[in-house]
Structures are given as C-alpha cells and as structure tokens.
Amino acid sequence: MNGTPRLRSAYPSTPQKGNERNGAEAGASLPRLPLPTLSSPQNDPQAPLIPLNLVDGPQQRLYVAFFYLGLTVWRLCDYYGVVSDETDSLWLFMKWIAIDSIFLYGLPGLKIPWLQWSSTSTMMLFIGHAIFNAILMFRIPIPLETWLIAFTRLFYDRELAVSERRVKPANVLHNSSLILGKQIIHILPEGSATLNPNRTAFCIDSSITSINLPIQLNQTNPILIELLRVDLDTNLNETITIQAKEIRRLKKQAQKQPLGRDIAFPRPLQYPIKQTGLYRLQRVVDESKLEVQRRLSDTLVVQCPSAHMQSVAESKCIGDLSDFYLQVDATPPIYIKYSKLFNGQENGHAVLSIPPKSPMSPLATQRSSGALVARESVANVDVSWARSQSTKISLNESLSTSGRWQYLVDEVQDGCGNTVIYANSRRADSGRRHATNTGPLEQRFSVHERPRVSLRGCDSQHPLRIPKGESIRLPVQLSSTGLDSTEQGTHYLSYLFSPSAEVLPNQEHGKAAVLEEFKIEPNAAGHEVYEPGLYTLQSIQSAHCAGDVLEPSSCLLSNPPEPSLSIETQVIPDRCAGNSVGLLVDLDLTGTPPFRVSYEEKRNGGPVTPRTVETNLLHTQLELKPAHSGHYRYEFKHISDAIYREPRPIVDERLRLEQDVKPPASARFLDAHPPRKTCIGEPISLAVQLLGDAPWKLEYELVHHGRRQKRKKEGIDSSIYTLTTDELSSGGEYSLALTSVTDKSGCKVSLEQETKIEVALQRPKAAFGLVEGHRTILALEDKKIQIPLRLQGEAPWTVQYRNLDQPGEGTTTMVFEKSNDEIEIKEAGTYELVHLDDATCPGNVDTAANRFLVEWVPRPSVKVSESATIEYRQGVYAKKGICEGDEDAVEIAFTGTPPFDVEYVHHLKPERGSQSTSTKKFKAGINLASVKMMTTEAGSHQYKISKLSDLSYPHDPRKFSPVVIEQSVHPTPMATFSDGGKTYKYCKEEEAGGENVPISLRGSPPFHLEVEIRHHSSSKPELVTIPNIETHQYNLHIPHRLLALGTHAVRIRKVRDANGCQRRMDQGAPHVQVNVAEVPGITAQESRTDYCVGDRISYTLSGLPPFNVFYTFQGQERKASASTTNFRRLAEKPGEFTITAITDQRSADCKAHTSLTKIIHEMPSVRVSKGRTATVDIHEGGEAEILFEFGGTPPFEFTYTRSSNPPRGKKSQVLDTKSDISYEHTKSVLASDEGIYEVVSIKDRYCAFSTQRVQGKSGPKLLT
C-alpha cells in the first residue's frame, strides 16, 4: 500500500510497523522502484511528538477522539446546568472558548498523522466551535425546520396550480414576457468652439507672468485655431495661429487635468499667453477643412490690480483729519474695499468706486454677450479703456474718537473682475489670488484727546487771598475732550503775570506783564505762586496735542492786611438807682471778616473766665453786663480773621477794662424751654429765678386766644419761686410772660421773659381698628395675630387690655410709640381695652370700639356620609359587602379649607393567603371626596384615614382622630369546563343523542349559568341560560336546535352565585368544541371574486381529513385531495374556477354540493416597438414616435422611463419617469429627448405588473 501513488491533496500515508524483511520483499517485488532512504525519527522534523513505535497513528487518533468526546460530554453537562440551574452563561461561554482554543491550536503540535491541518482550517474549526458554544450557553433557539424548508426550496420550489400540476411560482410571478421591447433615441451632435466659456478674468503682473487661456471644443476635432490679439498700449492687432501639432499637445495636457467641479467635460484646451491684450477666437477649422461655429466671446488680459497706502505720521488729535492717500493701479472701473479698526475691533467697511475716464468703456456697462467690441473687424478698434490706470485717492476723514485707529486695504478689483485680496491676518476667500505687497497696506493712527485747562475757585470777581509771605498752588484744573478721564502724561502750560502795582483798574494786564511757563507732571502737587498780582492762563500742550484754555482763565492773587482791634467804652447806668450795671464797648476791627476776638473776665479776684466774640462786621458793640454784683476786670488777648486764621496776640494796655457792677432786679424762667405741655383742666407750675435784693414783687400775665389775665405776687423772699397758674380749661397754646419785678430798692424793672404752654385740645383716646370693615379676625390656630390699635394724643401711650374669655389672666399693660400700632396676641377670645395714658395725660377708651374678637380657623376634619349601604357601629363605619371586581366607593365629607391632603392605610385580610397593608394618598379639591374601594381581591378590607391636612393646617396627630371603614369583598364565582379544549361529536339527525359537557362551579350555590354557542361561520352566538344549579358539578346537554352543520365553539359566558356576584368570562378562556359533521363544508378565506394569474386561491375545509375537492376549471371537471383543513391552489392560467362539491373521510359517500366561483384574469402586457429594441436617430429639435401595444382589459395605466445612453461597459441612469393612461389597446407618444425609453409597470382594470422592486418584492397585483 505504501507504493500506491497519491494525489497531492490526499492524506499522508500512515507509517506501519514492520521489519526489514517485509521491506525487502516489497523491494523484490518492485525492483524498478528504488527504496527511499529512511531517516531517523529523532532527526525528522515532521515526526509525531509521540513516536509511532510507542503508540501508532490510529491509536493516537482514537485517543484524541475519546478526549474530544469527553469534552463534548462535559460541554453538554454545562449546557444542562444553564438550562436547569440558570448558571452564568457568559462565564461558561468564555471557559469553553479557552478550552477549544487550547485543544484546536494545541492538537497540530502533536503532529499526529491525518490531524495536521493548516492554520486556515484551525481557524474555521475554532469559529465553528465558538458559534456552537454561543448557541448552547446562551440558549439560542435553532429553527431547523425553517432552515430545512428554505434549503429545500433552493433546489425544488414547486406548488400545485389550478390545473392540478406542480409549477414553479417564480415562473408565474415573474413573467418577463409581459413587458417587451424598448426604443433608443440618439441626437446627432453639432460642433462648436468657445474662447473662455466661463468668462474667467485674467491678469498678468510680476508674480504671474503667464496665464492659460481656455478654449472649449464641443463635438469637433480641429486642425487649426486662430486667435486675434489687440495690444492695449498701441491698439495694434496680431493673429496667433495654433497648428494641428500644437493642438494635439494641448489635448494631451487637457486629458491629464483632474476632472473637478470647475472643469467642464470635455476638458478645455489651455493655451498659454504672456502678454496683455484683447483676445478673440477668429477662426477654427476641423478635419473636414470646414470652419467650426464660433461663439463670439472676447477675453481681456490686463495688468493685475494693485493698491498701497502712502504712510503719514501716526499721532493725531481729536478733530484732526486722517489726511493720507491710497494709490491704486488697475483697469477701471475700479472697486477698492478697505476696513477700519478701532481699538482692534471692526468699525465698518468702505467700498470706493473709480469710474473709467473713457465714457465708452464696455466694462462700465452690462453686456448681454461675451463681446467687448463690435462684431465687425477689430482692425481699427480703440482699447485704450482697458489700459491700467494709476489713481491717487485721498482719504480725509475726521478723527472724532480717541483710540487706536487702523485702516486696512482689504481688496481691489478691476473692471474685468480680477480681484486681489491682501491678507492681513485674515484668510482670503476661496478661489481668489493673494497679491504681494508693493507698498504699505495699512495706516495706523493713535488719536489722542486734546487737553483742557481752567482755574477752579478763582476768577476776576473772586480773587485768591493769602497771608503775607505765604504761597499757594495755582488752582489749575486739567481735563480733556474725552468724557472719561484726563490723558496721562506731562502737560506744558503758560500764563501771563502782572504784579499788583501794574494791574489796570479794569483788571487787565499792564505793559509790564510777563509770560511764564511751567509743566505739570503726573501726580504732581501743582505750580505754586506767592507774588500778588494777576495771573492769566495762555496755553496748554500735552505730549501730542495742543489744548484749549477754558474760562475762568484769570485769577487775582492778593495779600490782605493783618487784623487789628481798637475799643471805646461807655458806662451803662441804672435808670432808677443810678448805679452802674455794666459797660458798652465799641469794637473797631480791621482785616477780612469774619473776626474772632478772645478776652478774659475776672470777678472779685476770682478765677479767669475766657470768652470769645465772633462777628462779620468791622464795627460792633459788646455789652459787658454781669448778672451778679462785684468788681470785674476784662483783658483782650487774641484776634484772627478769615485770612489770618492763626490767633494773633494783642499787646495794648488800652485794651484792659475794669468796672464795679451792681445789677438791677430781674427775673427769669429756669425751665422756659422747651415749651411745657399739660392736660386740659389742669394748672401748671414753673420755677422762676429772682435777682436783686429781697423781698420781690413779681407781675405776670397769661395770654390765650387774645385774652390776657394779669396776676401779681408780692412778698417773695426766696430767689427761686414756683409760679402756679389757674386751671387751664381750654385747649391750645398759652403764653405765660413775666412783665415786671420790684426788689427792696423799690425800682420796678420791666421784663421780657416769656414761655409757651401747650394744652391738649382733648383727652387722649384709644380704640380698636377695623380689619376689612370688622373688628373680627379669623386666623390660623397658634399663630401670632396683630390687632390694629388706634391711639389719639401724644406718644408714648400706655395701654391696658384684657381677654374676656380668660378672666383669670388679669390685664396686660403695653407701651406704644405709634398712633396706628398693633397688639400682638396668641390666644383666641374677645379682647377689651381697659385704660389709656399718653405722654402727658390720662385718656379715655372708646366704648363703641373697645372690643375685638379673635377666632381660629377651624382645623380640618373628616366624616363618612352615612347611607343605606353604610352605618356607624362601635367607632367603625361598616359598609355593605360587595362582589369582587365590582366598582364601589365611599363618600367622605371634609370641614376646613380645601384642598385637603388625605393619607389612609388599607389593610387586607384575604380568605386565603397572607395579610397585606398599603398606604395611599390623595388630594381633594372640594369639601367632598369619593374614595374608591379596593375590590380586586376577596377578603376583609379595612381603610383607616390616618392623616389629614388642608390649605390652612398641616397634619397634627395630637388633634386628629383616625376614621376607620370596613368592608367585606365576596369572591366572584367561577365556572370551567372539566375537560377544556375537548371536541364533542354531535350528529345532526340524532335529536336525542349527543354527549354531555361536564362543568365545574366554585362559589356559593345556587348558581345561575349562561353558556354561549357560536358556529364557526356565524358572528352571532346562541345563548343558553341555566338557572338554580344547586351543586358544584353540572353536566350540560346542548339542544340540537341550536346546532348546525360544522364546528361550534361552546364557551361559558357568565356565572352568578347566591351573593349576587357575577363573573363574565374572557374571550380567550378555555372552551370546548362541538362538531356536527354529517357532511363536510368549504368556505373561501377571502370574499373577493376576481383574481390575477399568480395569486393564490385559498379555502377552509370543515370535516374530518382527508378531503376530496371537486371543481371545474376552463370547462374541465377536476378532483383534488387535501390532507388538512386548508385547500390552496396557485392561479396559473386565466379562466373560471368553481368548487362544486366536497367530501371528507367520514362522509366519503355523501358529497356536500356547493358553488364557489372565482374569476382568474390574465396579467396585462405591453409591447414597445413591436416588442423589439429599436434605435432612432434624430437631429436637435426633432421628434420620434414611440408605439405602445397593450394586452388585457382597458383602461391601461403604464409608467415608462427615459435612461441615459451609457458607454460600453457602464450602467445607464434613469433620467426621467412618466406615467400615462390609455383607453385603447394601442397608444403613440412623441419624444424629442435622447435616451432609452422602456416600460417599467403596466396596470389594467383588474391587475398590475411591474419590473421595479417595491418593498423588496415584484410581480402581479390584483387591483381592488
């Protein structure tokens, strides 16, 4: 066997154990085949890891198979754990991925014969194991039956048709012969040539020395191209000839260009030029020696536009002009765009337009064609308007705001459209060139505020006055034209100075005036002056700008004389006794008022008393009239005025005075100020001080409302006397005046002592105020309440009040400062004012407004409305029992302020199972609420309203008593078929026969049962009512009168028990079937009559399979068999399909005759150009006729498309889609557009067919 030749793809031969003798015998039998040289296993790299002389190859493979079988059993055990114990699928999946990878990738390392596969095979095996592991561990279902059917249909897809033969549905559904033919229309091309078809602007300068002029060729292959060039400087023209060789070179270059969005197809020729001028395509000759049609288009190549600025000084002042120039070189009309930046921010853009000097320039007008000059000969044309023009533009704008201004040239555009964008840290627009700077492209200005200066606090009418020998800073006030602040920096000022002796009488400078200059540094103190005279500001200059001198600008500086004093004295005698009572001193002052004179007074050698006299007059009198007798000495010490503020000593013996004084009798009130206040009807007492020798006689008068009451008191011995008036019976202001006093000497002295007495017009009064028109407050409990209090009289008031509802608390006293004040209380009740005192008098309480009622807003409460279904027993509301699942509710009434927040606890004690408790909340917007009872589960239900709050009060467990409601929910009865899903047989002819249907009942007997019997072909059921069922088991016998031929579904509709509880069964509840099957039946699954070829006609059979179906098609009687209750046939051909009879297994000898007819219509068809592919060539503007021929039942609606004529090897694209209708079997359509015309869908009266895919399917469709 080792000598058997093997293919390269075969497995390697298995080495065999043997001796040399066997090898020799094999060699003897084949002497022509030399023996191969055997190598040692230790030296053979392909030898198995386990030597074959220990374990041969088949045994090694058997061990591997056993090991793999063990892994598979382990794997299936893990799968069982996933299914039964729900273990972690992901961990098991990762475990088996690791085990399989070790096994599959480690097995080739053993080098076992026949188990050494390639890396690709190992990878495929690993992927297969991974998929298998995922299916097992993640429990992925495998639809094997579906896969098997789908796989079978790939090779065998046949279906029974109405002709009782198996056909392939795809051949019927996708009949390509229904739409045949198409028509192709070609439009013959016409050649043309155009120079610069896109009217691109071109220019040449030092950076762009050459440009490519595009020549667009369309449907032509020229051998000669002539260009006419007119020189812009000399107006001379020349002809540029492009020969065939050059044209071919240009074509090759054009083919290498990338086909972008801005390049037409076919690609234009790019002819290089290096001179400016006017270019025109003069002549184009093609291969047939004929001139090609030229589209008249002139192209102008000019000098590229440029612009730059002529720089000027960068420092400017407010109000200056920018005053710089912009130099522009371009072909007019020229558009220059420049922008202004202020402090680095955009401040607007400006566009300047420079018109051409020549009014005949075509660049300044709109053109409808590409020609720039007349169509006739251009031999003598003047193109001077296209020459570059140098223009100097003055930009003279007023600089009205201080800051950093910057003017930037953004772009310049000439009349041809050549645009140059100067990038200054800004990106240029796409497609535009950037020019190199031929000069500065920006102008910067630093605009400064102009300084202003004026004098502050000094002018010609208000001079500066300083003491002699002292200096003062000139009161210079700096400002600027800006509103914010003065510009920082050094300021240079000048002023004109005239000494006081040289100042003219009209306050003008004399001839000897001197101009002096000084500067003010930042934060400097200013310029000091000391010489008296006239100072007038002349100019101000900052570091950048000259400023303005504002008024006041002149200031007069003077040195007033030093203050001095001289006096004259005169004795003041007593007119009655002749004694001296004092001195009258005349003070004569010199200096600048106001004056301050200080002197010292000394009595009888006692202590010195310093005194001061202040006056604004140059002459004044000082009366030295002591109140007490004795020897007095006066000495004037210092004097000062407004200029010489420091007191200056007075050294003059004549300014010392002495006198002996014995003052006359006198009297004065000790407490005359402020005016005294008292109550009406009460007297008042005042203290009076008497001067002189006792005894005294005092005369006084009391004045009120113009009436005077004179009184006198004699024999007063004390110097302090208490004067008491009569009772003051009227309110208002009284004046008490001391008129005269007489002492021991007998001299009567008139007095001018007077004091005011204010007597209250009425007694103070207290009353409670109104709150919303009432003296009642309804407030929240335990909250602080302010009761309004109205007080009359003089503050402060002392008020006493009490709470009548709490007599044990007594009265409360409070002090109030405002006439409209409030009493703060915390308890409800009726409050009464008891007593009132104001600052002066006791008052009265208004008996009509001395009481105020404070009531609390009632707290929320809840009450269950009693009715016939609910009653209150032993603290619990017991509600009448209800059936499980029925709707029920309890009405709850609230007191308080809505809305109410209610929380209740629902406790359920079911008949079976554990108890449960739940807490629920709801909000009631009115004083009445309905609580839905929980009736979904039978048992004893308790509802405990545990918390209640309203808009005014939160829940307070101390002041709320829970409300308990109890109700019993009866379980709903249940009725089920004992053998649900069973089919019972009934015979139509056997009136007394039939099976009983057992029913199980649960609940409280007696039961009332309602059963529904529904025939499968009827939508209206028959009802059977069975009352008074006393047991829990009942055998139902269905009356034959309710049964018809076929299958009936018997369902329990509802059941009611003795508690009145009722259960209505669901439609999907278990039911039984009753089969009355004397003869089988057949019904169509669809109610329609008309079908199309390719549709499936389906029926439902009733009876016992298998069935025999008898029908006629195309006049022939046929018989078909069906093993299930579904009968379906594919409509293969058109015709009339009629079911005539049916039998089943039980009624094989009795047919059920019927007549179910379906009409199968043929599919519509269309032929374009007799069903062939026709090609028609037309010229531009011509038309071709397209003929459509239809088959089917009119009217016909069809859709056809126009597609492009693609080159060979490429797909066509749909360019247009149109729909049309035809009421005949033929229709003609005229077309003038190039393309492939073909029909994609056709529809007649009954059916439709389309070659286009709709939602992934195509084929016939019945139109309904």
Side-chain angles (χ1 to χ4, degrees):
M1 291 296 294
N2 293 340
T4 303
R6 295 181 180 272
L7 298 176
R8 294 181 179 178
S9 59
Y11 284 105
S13 59
T14 301
Q16 301 291 333
K17 292 192 298 182
N19 50 28
E20 297 180 358
R21 181 176 177 274
N22 293 335
E25 292 178 356
S29 62
L30 295 173
R32 297 182 181 181
L33 296 175
L35 290 174
T37 303
L38 297 177
S39 60
S40 176
Q42 290 80 4
N43 300 327
D44 188 2
Q46 300 298 328
L49 185 64
I50 301 175
L52 298 177
N53 54 4
L54 295 180
V55 181
D56 60 2
Q59 286 184 335
Q60 291 189 27
R61 290 193 291 272
L62 181 61
Y63 295 155
V64 171
F66 284 153
F67 182 75
Y68 182 75
L69 181 61
L71 291 179
T72 304
V73 173
W74 186 15
R75 193 192 321 266
L76 294 177
C77 291
D78 285 347
Y79 170 69
Y80 178 77
V82 170
V83 174
S84 60
D85 300 336
E86 298 289 339
T87 55
D88 189 1
S89 299
L90 180 61
W91 184 88
L92 293 176
F93 173 72
M94 298 303 297
K95 181 184 80 172
W96 281 107
I97 286 291
I99 294 174
D100 288 340
S101 62
I102 294 172
F103 176 77
L104 294 175
Y105 284 97
L107 185 59
L110 298 177
K111 300 179 182 180
I112 300 174
W114 291 14
L115 295 181
Q116 301 181 48
W117 42 67
S118 63
S119 59
T120 303
S121 301
T122 304
M123 176 60 70
M124 298 302 296
L125 288 173
F126 175 73
I127 293 175
H129 281 71
I131 296 174
F132 182 65
N133 290 332
I135 292 173
L136 289 180
M137 301 310 162
F138 294 111
R139 301 172 61 184
I140 300 174
I142 306 175
L144 294 177
E145 182 180 356
T146 304
W147 291 355
L148 182 59
I149 294 175
F151 180 75
T152 304
R153 286 189 175 181
L154 292 176
F155 304 97
Y156 185 80
D157 185 13
R158 295 292 186 271
E159 191 173 338
L160 278 174
V162 292
S163 60
E164 287 304 314
R165 65 187 184 92
R166 291 191 176 275
V167 298
K168 194 173 183 179
N171 295 337
V172 180
L173 297 174
H174 307 290
N175 189 357
S176 61
S177 64
L178 297 177
I179 299 179
L180 295 176
K182 59 183 176 181
Q183 184 160 320
I184 303 174
I185 298 177
H186 288 295
I187 297 179
L188 299 177
E190 293 184 6
S192 64
T194 307
L195 177 64
N196 192 13
N198 298 327
R199 297 187 184 181
T200 305
F202 297 101
C203 67
I204 295 176
D205 59 7
S206 58
S207 61
I208 304 174
T209 59
S210 175
I211 58 102
N212 292 325
L213 201 60
I215 303 173
Q216 181 70 56
L217 302 176
N218 186 23
Q219 301 296 333
T220 184
N221 189 15
I223 60 173
L224 177 67
I225 299 176
E226 291 184 356
L227 293 176
L228 179 66
R229 172 184 173 271
V230 180
D231 190 87
L232 301 182
D233 297 327
T234 62
N235 291 333
L236 298 179
N237 58 74
E238 63 172 332
T239 301
I240 302 174
T241 303
I242 307 175
Q243 300 296 337
K245 181 178 179 181
E246 181 70 11
I247 294 174
R248 288 194 296 271
R249 185 182 66 82
L250 294 177
K251 284 186 175 181
K252 291 180 180 180
Q253 292 180 354
Q255 292 299 327
K256 297 179 181 179
Q257 297 178 8
L259 188 59
R261 294 182 179 178
D262 55 345
I263 299 179
F265 186 82
R267 300 171 178 84
L269 306 182
Q270 303 291 336
Y271 182 70
I273 60 173
K274 298 183 179 181
Q275 292 180 312
T276 61
L278 177 67
Y279 290 85
R280 174 180 288 185
L281 192 61
Q282 183 168 284
R283 190 162 70 101
V284 178
V285 181
D286 63 4
E287 293 175 332
S288 60
K289 307 297 184 181
L290 298 177
E291 288 194 12
V292 178
Q293 180 182 359
R294 294 171 288 107
R295 296 181 182 177
L296 188 60
S297 176
D298 293 336
T299 299
L300 195 61
V301 181
V302 299
Q303 288 290 332
C304 291
S306 64
H308 66 276
M309 291 184 178
Q310 296 182 357
S311 300
V312 296
E314 294 188 358
S315 293
K316 295 284 184 178
C317 298
I318 287 289
D320 289 351
L321 299 176
S322 56
D323 194 20
F324 68 97
Y325 294 93
L326 180 62
Q327 182 74 34
V328 182
D329 296 317
T331 299
I334 307 171
Y335 300 93
I336 306 103
K337 180 181 178 181
Y338 69 93
S339 59
K340 294 185 289 184
L341 276 69
F342 178 68
N343 290 336
Q345 301 294 327
E346 291 283 350
N347 195 41
H349 300 270
V351 178
L352 302 178
S353 176
I354 303 175
K357 295 180 180 178
S358 173
M360 303 304 292
S361 173
L363 299 178
T365 59
Q366 293 185 353
R367 294 177 288 146
S368 60
S369 66
L372 293 174
V373 297
R375 291 179 177 269
E376 57 269 11
S377 175
V378 293
N380 299 319
V381 69
D382 182 11
V383 292
S384 59
W385 45 266
R387 298 169 188 167
S388 180
Q389 174 181 317
S390 181
T391 306
K392 190 175 182 181
I393 305 171
S394 176
L395 298 180
N396 219 10
E397 299 180 356
S398 177
L399 304 175
S400 59
T401 307
S402 62
R404 300 187 308 277
W405 287 85
Q406 187 177 4
Y407 290 80
L408 302 172
V409 179
D410 291 336
E411 63 181 57
V412 58
Q413 178 180 333
D414 63 7
C416 300
N418 295 297
T419 303
V420 177
I421 297 178
Y422 298 96
N424 186 1
S425 299
R426 291 170 296 176
R427 299 181 62 182
D429 295 340
S430 176
R432 297 185 176 183
R433 289 188 298 274
H434 296 266
T436 57
N437 294 349
T438 58
L441 297 175
E442 65 176 340
Q443 175 63 54
R444 299 175 183 267
F445 292 113
S446 294
V447 180
H448 305 276
E449 299 285 352
R450 292 183 181 274
R452 290 178 175 176
V453 63
S454 63
L455 296 176
R456 180 178 64 244
C458 179
D459 55 23
S460 58
Q461 302 299 324
H462 303 85
L464 286 178
R465 298 176 180 178
I466 61 174
K468 292 180 181 179
E470 295 184 7
S471 63
I472 190 172
R473 292 186 180 90
L474 197 62
V476 174
Q477 182 176 6
L478 297 178
S479 61
S480 69
T481 52
L483 299 178
D484 295 337
S485 61
T486 304
E487 184 172 350
Q488 297 296 323
T490 304
H491 291 78
Y492 301 90
L493 292 87
S494 65
Y495 63 87
L496 197 63
F497 171 70
S498 294
S500 300
E502 301 294 335
V503 178
L504 300 178
N506 59 354
Q507 296 296 317
E508 295 291 339
H509 289 276
K511 296 182 179 180
V514 178
L515 182 65
E516 296 187 6
E517 296 180 351
F518 65 96
K519 65 179 179 179
I520 299 178
E521 298 289 348
N523 302 322
H527 183 64
E528 289 194 358
V529 294
Y530 57 90
E531 188 174 355
L534 181 62
Y535 295 84
T536 302
L537 295 175
Q538 296 295 312
S539 66
I540 183 173
Q541 175 79 35
S542 67
H544 304 95
C545 303
D548 301 324
V549 177
L550 306 180
E551 294 296 334
S553 61
S554 296
C555 179
L556 183 63
L557 179 63
S558 63
N559 297 134
E562 297 181 5
S564 62
L565 172 66
S566 62
I567 61 175
E568 291 182 1
T569 61
Q570 182 180 355
V571 177
I572 303 175
D574 186 353
R575 290 176 295 177
C576 178
N579 300 325
S580 173
V581 297
L583 289 175
L584 185 63
V585 182
D586 293 330
L587 303 178
D588 292 322
L589 302 165
T590 58
T592 304
F595 298 95
R596 182 184 181 88
V597 179
S598 60
Y599 65 95
E600 294 178 350
E601 178 183 282
K602 189 176 182 181
R603 175 181 174 227
N604 295 330
V608 174
T609 302
R611 300 187 184 277
T612 302
V613 178
E614 293 183 358
T615 180
N616 290 324
L617 304 176
L618 297 176
H619 177 80
T620 186
Q621 285 186 334
L622 175 62
E623 189 177 69
L624 302 176
K625 193 176 181 181
H628 302 280
S629 59
H631 178 75
Y632 290 85
R633 182 178 179 180
Y634 304 93
E635 182 178 358
F636 292 91
K637 305 294 290 184
H638 299 90
I639 185 172
S640 63
D641 64 0
I643 304 301
Y644 299 90
R645 298 180 183 276
E646 292 295 329
R648 295 175 176 268
I650 301 175
V651 182
D652 191 348
E653 294 295 334
R654 293 174 296 178
L655 298 182
R656 293 188 178 95
L657 301 176
E658 293 184 5
Q659 69 170 339
D660 292 320
V661 177
K662 188 176 183 180
S666 179
R668 67 184 182 91
F669 290 111
L670 292 179
D671 50 358
H673 297 286
R676 297 291 297 274
K677 297 179 181 180
T678 187
C679 301
I680 188 171
E682 294 183 359
I684 190 171
S685 298
L686 297 170
V688 179
Q689 182 183 24
L690 300 172
L691 301 176
D693 297 328
W696 291 274
K697 181 177 72 174
L698 181 64
E699 295 181 357
Y700 63 94
E701 61 184 6
L702 187 64
V703 182
H704 178 60
H705 289 172
R707 292 180 300 174
R708 295 178 180 271
Q709 297 179 6
K710 296 186 176 182
R711 298 285 189 271
K712 64 180 178 179
K713 296 292 181 179
E714 297 181 357
I716 302 174
D717 297 326
S718 175
S719 60
I720 303 299
Y721 173 70
T722 300
L723 179 61
T724 303
T725 65
D726 299 333
E727 291 184 356
L728 305 178
S729 59
S730 299
E733 185 180 68
Y734 287 79
S735 295
L736 180 61
L738 302 179
T739 58
S740 65
V741 62
T742 304
D743 64 352
K744 181 180 179 181
S745 63
C747 293
K748 184 179 181 179
V749 179
S750 298
L751 301 175
E752 294 181 355
Q753 287 289 321
E754 183 178 349
T755 186
K756 300 292 185 181
I757 303 172
E758 294 181 2
V759 180
L761 296 176
Q762 61 181 5
R763 290 279 180 177
K765 186 177 181 182
F768 283 120
L770 298 175
V771 176
E772 297 181 355
H774 303 280
R775 290 184 177 88
T776 302
I777 286 181
L778 185 63
L780 297 180
E781 186 177 347
D782 297 333
K783 286 199 173 183
K784 296 180 179 179
I785 307 300
Q786 282 75 31
I787 301 177
L789 187 63
R790 303 294 178 258
L791 302 173
Q792 296 179 3
E794 185 176 355
W797 293 270
T798 302
V799 179
Q800 293 181 359
Y801 64 91
R802 62 184 176 182
N803 187 348
L804 298 179
D805 294 344
Q806 296 180 356
E809 293 186 0
T811 61
T812 303
T813 303
M814 294 183 67
V815 178
F816 300 93
E817 297 291 339
K818 297 182 292 184
S819 59
N820 295 297
D821 217 320
E822 295 174 339
I823 298 176
E824 185 177 280
I825 59 96
K826 295 182 180 180
E827 300 291 339
T830 301
Y831 288 84
E832 181 184 45
L833 295 176
V834 178
H835 183 70
L836 169 70
D837 289 326
D838 70 351
T840 306
C841 309
N844 302 322
V845 175
D846 187 355
T847 57
N850 66 333
R851 293 187 179 184
F852 200 99
L853 177 61
V854 177
E855 295 179 322
W856 297 138
V857 174
R859 284 189 169 273
S861 62
V862 61
K863 180 180 180 182
V864 179
S865 302
E866 297 188 28
S867 62
T869 61
I870 189 169
E871 60 180 346
Y872 186 74
R873 297 194 303 263
Q874 298 178 356
V876 176
Y877 290 93
K879 188 166 177 60
K880 185 178 179 181
I882 195 169
C883 298
E884 181 181 1
D886 289 356
E887 295 290 336
D888 195 11
V890 61
E891 299 292 334
I892 297 177
F894 300 99
T895 58
T897 307
F900 302 91
D901 291 316
V902 184
E903 180 179 316
Y904 66 92
V905 179
H906 174 224
H907 180 74
L908 170 62
K909 184 178 181 181
E911 293 184 350
R912 291 183 299 273
S914 60
Q915 302 181 13
S916 63
T917 302
S918 62
T919 302
K920 298 184 178 181
K921 300 178 181 180
F922 69 91
K923 183 183 288 290
I926 58 176
N927 292 75
L928 190 64
S930 178
V931 178
K932 184 178 179 182
M933 312 302 285
M934 303 298 293
T935 61
T936 57
E937 187 173 356
S940 176
H941 294 257
Q942 185 189 74
Y943 305 86
K944 182 179 180 182
I945 301 177
S946 56
K947 293 183 180 180
L948 175 65
S949 62
D950 65 354
L951 184 64
S952 301
Y953 294 98
H955 174 70
D956 190 348
R958 298 171 300 174
K959 299 182 180 181
F960 176 74
S961 298
V963 177
V964 180
I965 305 171
E966 292 182 351
Q967 185 182 36
S968 295
V969 178
H970 305 298
T972 56
M974 185 65 183
T976 59
F977 291 106
S978 300
D979 298 324
K982 182 178 178 181
T983 300
Y984 297 87
K985 297 180 182 179
Y986 273 70
C987 296
K988 184 66 178 176
E989 291 77 9
E990 299 178 2
E991 292 295 336
E995 299 180 77
N996 290 329
V997 181
I999 298 176
S1000 298
L1001 300 165
R1002 188 173 72 246
S1004 300
F1007 300 96
H1008 183 277
L1009 191 64
E1010 185 175 304
V1011 179
E1012 173 187 300
I1013 304 173
R1014 184 188 299 271
H1015 194 271
H1016 68 89
S1017 62
S1018 175
S1019 60
K1020 182 178 181 182
E1022 298 288 344
L1023 300 180
V1024 177
T1025 302
I1026 308 169
N1028 299 324
I1029 300 175
E1030 297 293 341
T1031 62
H1032 289 85
Q1033 292 291 331
Y1034 179 76
N1035 292 324
L1036 172 66
H1037 182 77
I1038 303 174
H1040 280 77
R1041 60 182 175 80
L1042 302 177
L1043 298 177
L1045 185 65
T1047 302
H1048 300 73
V1050 181
R1051 184 176 66 87
I1052 299 174
R1053 192 165 186 174
K1054 62 182 178 180
V1055 60
R1056 186 173 66 248
D1057 65 356
N1059 292 324
C1061 298
Q1062 175 178 291
R1063 180 190 293 270
R1064 186 176 294 274
M1065 303 301 178
D1066 297 333
Q1067 290 289 340
H1071 64 280
V1072 297
Q1073 288 188 344
V1074 175
N1075 187 12
V1076 181
E1078 185 179 34
V1079 290
I1082 183 171
T1083 56
Q1085 293 184 358
E1086 296 179 282
S1087 60
R1088 60 187 176 122
T1089 304
D1090 296 304
Y1091 286 79
C1092 295
V1093 173
D1095 289 347
R1096 291 172 175 83
I1097 306 175
S1098 301
Y1099 298 90
T1100 300
L1101 307 178
S1102 61
L1104 186 63
F1107 300 91
N1108 291 324
V1109 181
F1110 301 89
Y1111 66 92
T1112 60
F1113 178 66
Q1114 292 182 343
Q1116 295 183 2
E1117 294 185 356
R1118 303 175 187 269
K1119 176 183 176 182
S1121 61
S1123 59
T1124 64
T1125 57
N1126 289 326
F1127 177 70
R1128 188 177 72 171
R1129 287 296 181 266
L1130 178 67
E1132 175 192 7
K1133 299 177 181 179
E1136 185 174 306
F1137 181 82
T1138 303
I1139 303 291
T1140 58
I1142 181 175
T1143 63
D1144 63 354
Q1145 182 182 12
R1146 183 174 52 192
S1147 58
D1149 298 333
C1150 181
K1151 291 183 180 180
H1153 293 279
T1154 184
S1155 179
L1156 302 176
T1157 301
K1158 306 293 182 182
I1159 307 298
I1160 302 174
H1161 300 276
E1162 65 174 344
M1163 295 298 296
S1165 62
V1166 61
R1167 303 288 186 271
V1168 182
S1169 300
K1170 302 296 182 179
R1172 301 185 303 272
T1173 300
T1175 302
V1176 179
D1177 296 331
I1178 63 173
H1179 291 281
E1180 185 76 28
E1183 292 181 334
E1185 182 183 17
I1186 305 175
L1187 177 62
F1188 299 93
E1189 297 174 310
F1190 305 101
T1193 306
F1196 301 97
E1197 295 182 23
F1198 62 100
T1199 301
Y1200 62 96
T1201 61
R1202 180 175 67 89
S1203 305
S1204 60
N1205 291 322
R1208 180 175 299 177
K1210 295 187 177 180
K1211 294 183 180 180
S1212 62
Q1213 296 181 353
V1214 177
L1215 304 177
D1216 194 8
T1217 302
K1218 295 184 179 180
S1219 298
D1220 206 343
I1221 188 171
S1222 175
Y1223 296 94
E1224 303 295 337
H1225 284 81
T1226 60
K1227 186 177 182 66
S1228 297
V1229 176
L1230 297 178
S1232 60
D1233 295 328
E1234 184 180 41
I1236 302 174
Y1237 292 81
E1238 53 187 337
V1239 177
V1240 295
S1241 66
I1242 176 68
K1243 179 173 68 174
D1244 67 352
R1245 181 178 180 182
Y1246 298 105
C1247 304
F1249 180 77
S1250 175
T1251 60
Q1252 294 179 330
R1253 285 196 164 276
V1254 179
Q1255 295 180 355
K1257 296 183 179 180
S1258 64
K1261 180 181 179 183
L1262 174 66
L1263 302 179
T1264 57

